[in-house]
Amino acid sequence: MSEQLAKELQLEEENAAFPEVVAVAEGPFITGENIDTSSDLMLAQMLQMEFDREYDAQLRREEKKINGDSKVSISFENYRKVHPYDSDSSEDEVDWQDTRHDPYRADKPTTTPRKGFIGKGKDITTKHDEVVCGRKNTARMENFAPEFQVGDGIGMDLKLSNQVFNALKQHAYSEERRSARLHEKKEHSTAEKAVDPKTRLLLYKMVNAGMLETITGCISTGKESVVFHAYGGNATEDKVIPPECAIKVFKTTLNEFKNRDKYIKDDYRFKDRFSKLNPRKIIRMWAEKEMHNLTRMQNAGIPCPQVVILKKHVLVMSFIGQDQVPAPKLKDVTLSSEDMKKAYYQILNMMQQLYKECNLVHADLSEYNMLWHDGKVWLIDVSQSVEPTHPHGLEFLFRDCKNVSQFFQKGGVAEALNERELFNAVSDLNITADNEVDFQAEIEALEKMNEDHVQNHGKKLSMFSSDGDPPIYDE
């Protein structure tokens, strides 16, 4: 009896000293009486579940000790080790993600049967009911693009009117198209003072091939192109590369070229290749046209950039300037009266050479497209230049004469001719008109005569009678 009493007393002392350990074993202890314990995996799972139960019980005790009677409670649910086969886990402890119900997914609105209404009598509800349509519109917002944030309405019975839903739908589609358009523009267009990936690849190939040593940076930007400075590389057998080069990159955005097709579609050199259906090729054709025009001017001895190479819409030319500093435009330089007079006669001579020897009209000649370098004038930007037999060639020539005459008359050159006298001096047409309106009318009549002859006979008509006139070209 003394031994049994001693054991009972010992058990009472252990229970009094370790009450928490006894509390852990509230649930049924897993034994091997009714479970196959021959598998090591099963034994490991049983032991792990017991350890997890003890850990969860400890977390619950800590949670109860910390919270006490406080109105604000702290939960350790995220740290629990609950197994899906744990019999102690209650329904309240199951996370909503383990269920098939997603509270963030809008409930599907009730469908209307084919007959178009539900209910009877006074409780009838048609498919046009305001509440039903509002809930349907709310559910349809899930079909918007992912980039369009529509928010969530958990636990809220949201109803959108048709007017609001249609406005949101139109705005979502507009934003989607704008995003795609901006992405397209970024990937396929030459931006201001920058180049797109395809243009950058062309420049890299030129540097890697040794044609260019390095590209230093942008020196000029315009509506139609961006000009970069570069140092020339090694010369080849058939190509002489100047020490400094100017790289003219024509912008591949079509905004500035939409209204400039008149300079190229009636040019016999490019008329057969011009197509409104393929506008991006127009930009390459524009660069090719400037290359051909510069070549004509260079052969005639007119001061202009020397063409090095043309690659698609990238034109490499000689640099007019020195040590990365471009030559100033004629409008930005201050010249003495003697230099101003010298520049005027030089431009007059160049316009005559351009018209008679090169068979070209600049079509955009002004103080903005003339540089002053080494004591003489250099002509640039001849991509829009056309031949005199162009349907608007004489109009372009008269506009050039007007710009040049006004600039030098304001500059104090007393010998500067007015626009009509300059036009006759360049073209040798000797149009006699007392005022500008009649003068332009005669110019348009000559152009119309030439255009009618082209349509009737298929070739250009020579309207010029003096020696050295532009040659006649058959189409």
Side-chain angles (χ1 to χ4, degrees):
M1 293 293 293
S2 60
E3 293 182 358
Q4 292 180 356
L5 181 61
K7 289 182 178 180
E8 291 177 359
L9 293 175
Q10 183 178 1
L11 288 174
E12 291 178 359
E13 291 179 358
E14 291 179 354
N15 292 336
F18 307 101
E20 298 179 353
V21 176
V22 178
V24 174
E26 295 176 355
F29 188 77
I30 297 178
T31 61
E33 296 177 358
N34 54 356
I35 298 177
D36 183 15
T37 58
S38 60
S39 173
D40 294 339
L41 177 60
M42 180 61 68
L43 288 174
Q45 289 177 346
M46 292 167 59
L47 290 174
Q48 185 63 47
M49 188 170 69
E50 287 300 319
F51 292 147
D52 291 345
R53 282 183 175 180
E54 293 179 8
Y55 179 75
D56 293 342
Q58 180 66 23
L59 285 180
R60 281 193 290 269
R61 287 192 295 269
E62 290 291 334
E63 181 180 322
K64 185 176 181 180
K65 179 179 178 182
I66 293 175
N67 292 331
D69 297 332
S70 176
K71 295 181 179 179
V72 180
S73 61
I74 298 176
S75 175
F76 293 154
E77 289 296 325
N78 293 337
Y79 299 97
R80 292 186 59 193
K81 305 287 186 180
V82 180
H83 290 270
Y85 49 84
D86 189 355
S87 60
D88 285 351
S89 59
S90 62
E91 294 181 359
D92 297 337
E93 295 171 352
V94 178
D95 193 6
W96 63 266
Q97 293 180 354
D98 296 333
T99 66
R100 294 177 179 234
H101 177 65
D102 184 357
Y104 287 92
R105 182 179 295 276
D107 295 334
K108 293 185 178 180
T110 56
T111 57
T112 306
R114 283 187 178 180
K115 58 185 179 181
F117 64 91
I118 56 176
K120 295 181 180 180
K122 296 181 180 180
D123 299 331
I124 190 171
T125 302
T126 66
K127 61 181 180 180
H128 302 293
D129 183 72
E130 183 178 358
V131 176
V132 175
C133 289
R135 289 172 178 165
K136 286 183 178 180
N137 292 337
T138 304
R140 288 174 186 156
M141 291 178 63
E142 292 185 357
N143 299 328
F144 289 169
E147 297 82 8
F148 188 78
Q149 303 294 335
V150 296
D152 58 72
I154 302 178
M156 294 183 288
D157 187 16
L158 297 179
K159 295 177 281 292
L160 289 179
S161 64
N162 292 336
Q163 182 179 3
V164 175
F165 173 76
N166 291 334
L168 288 175
K169 181 180 178 181
Q170 184 64 33
H171 180 66
Y173 289 163
S174 299
E175 286 295 311
E176 187 177 4
R177 288 195 299 268
R178 187 180 70 88
S179 177
R181 186 168 60 251
L182 292 176
H183 179 74
E184 174 77 12
K185 183 176 181 181
K186 181 179 178 182
E187 292 295 328
H188 300 94
S189 65
T190 307
E192 190 76 13
K193 298 185 180 180
V195 293
D196 62 345
K198 292 183 179 179
T199 306
R200 194 178 299 116
L201 183 60
L202 289 175
L203 298 179
Y204 286 158
K205 288 183 177 179
M206 292 182 185
V207 175
N208 293 335
M211 184 177 301
L212 300 177
E213 182 179 348
T214 180
I215 301 174
T216 58
C218 179
I219 57 176
S220 176
T221 59
K223 295 182 297 183
E224 301 162 356
S225 62
V226 182
V227 182
F228 297 91
H229 175 272
Y231 285 106
N234 300 324
T236 59
E237 297 179 358
D238 56 344
K239 187 69 64 177
V240 178
I241 301 177
E244 291 184 272
C245 297
I247 306 174
K248 189 171 185 178
V249 180
F250 288 83
K251 293 182 179 180
T252 54
T253 51
L254 301 177
N255 299 332
E256 300 298 337
F257 288 89
K258 290 179 180 178
N259 300 324
R260 309 212 19 120
D261 56 359
K262 61 182 179 181
Y263 292 97
I264 196 170
K265 70 177 181 179
D266 293 320
D267 194 324
Y268 82 98
R269 297 172 294 175
F270 305 95
K271 188 174 184 179
D272 295 336
R273 297 165 52 192
F274 180 82
S275 175
K276 283 266 189 180
L277 301 178
N278 196 357
R280 289 199 174 273
K281 287 190 176 180
I282 300 176
I283 300 169
R284 298 184 184 179
M285 206 179 299
W286 200 265
E288 182 181 348
K289 185 178 181 184
E290 175 150 11
M291 181 195 69
H292 289 303
N293 292 340
L294 286 175
T295 303
R296 285 193 186 185
M297 295 168 61
Q298 184 181 349
N299 294 335
I302 298 176
C304 65
Q306 175 187 353
V307 177
V308 178
I309 194 172
L310 172 66
K311 290 289 186 180
K312 294 184 179 180
H313 61 285
V314 178
L315 180 62
V316 181
M317 306 171 289
S318 60
F319 179 69
I320 308 300
Q322 189 175 3
D323 298 333
Q324 301 185 30
V325 180
K329 297 178 182 178
L330 205 57
K331 74 177 186 70
D332 298 327
V333 67
T334 303
L335 300 178
S336 63
S337 58
E338 189 66 26
D339 287 339
M340 201 71 169
K341 182 178 178 180
K342 176 183 175 182
Y344 172 74
Y345 282 109
Q346 183 188 352
I347 292 174
L348 177 59
N349 184 44
M350 285 194 297
M351 292 179 68
Q352 292 174 341
Q353 281 185 286
L354 194 66
Y355 186 84
K356 297 178 181 179
E357 299 180 24
C358 302
N359 193 34
L360 288 175
V361 174
H362 192 284
D364 193 21
L365 187 62
S366 67
E367 60 272 20
Y368 292 87
N369 291 328
M370 293 182 285
L371 305 180
W372 182 259
H373 181 62
D374 288 342
K376 59 182 178 180
V377 179
W378 297 68
L379 294 184
I380 61 171
D381 194 9
V382 293
S383 56
Q384 73 287 328
S385 298
V386 297
E387 296 196 344
T389 51
H390 186 277
H392 302 285
L394 296 181
E395 294 179 33
F396 297 153
L397 177 60
F398 183 74
R399 186 177 62 188
D400 291 347
C401 294
K402 190 174 183 179
N403 294 335
V404 172
S405 178
Q406 289 179 353
F407 173 74
F408 283 99
Q409 285 179 353
K410 291 179 181 179
V413 180
E415 295 83 355
L417 303 174
N418 59 40
E419 55 268 20
R420 286 172 286 171
E421 295 172 344
L422 184 59
F423 180 89
N424 288 330
V426 173
S427 64
D428 290 335
L429 287 178
N430 297 323
I431 298 177
T432 58
D434 297 334
N435 53 64
E436 183 176 340
V437 176
D438 295 340
F439 197 90
Q440 290 183 340
E442 291 193 32
I443 291 176
E444 293 176 0
L446 289 174
E447 291 177 337
K448 186 67 168 60
M449 186 196 318
N450 184 62
E451 185 65 22
D452 292 341
H453 188 83
V454 170
Q455 294 179 359
N456 296 331
H457 302 281
K459 65 178 182 179
K460 301 293 183 182
L461 173 66
S462 177
M463 303 173 297
F464 317 100
S465 56
S466 61
D467 296 335
D469 295 333
I472 300 174
Y473 289 91
D474 294 334
E475 292 184 346

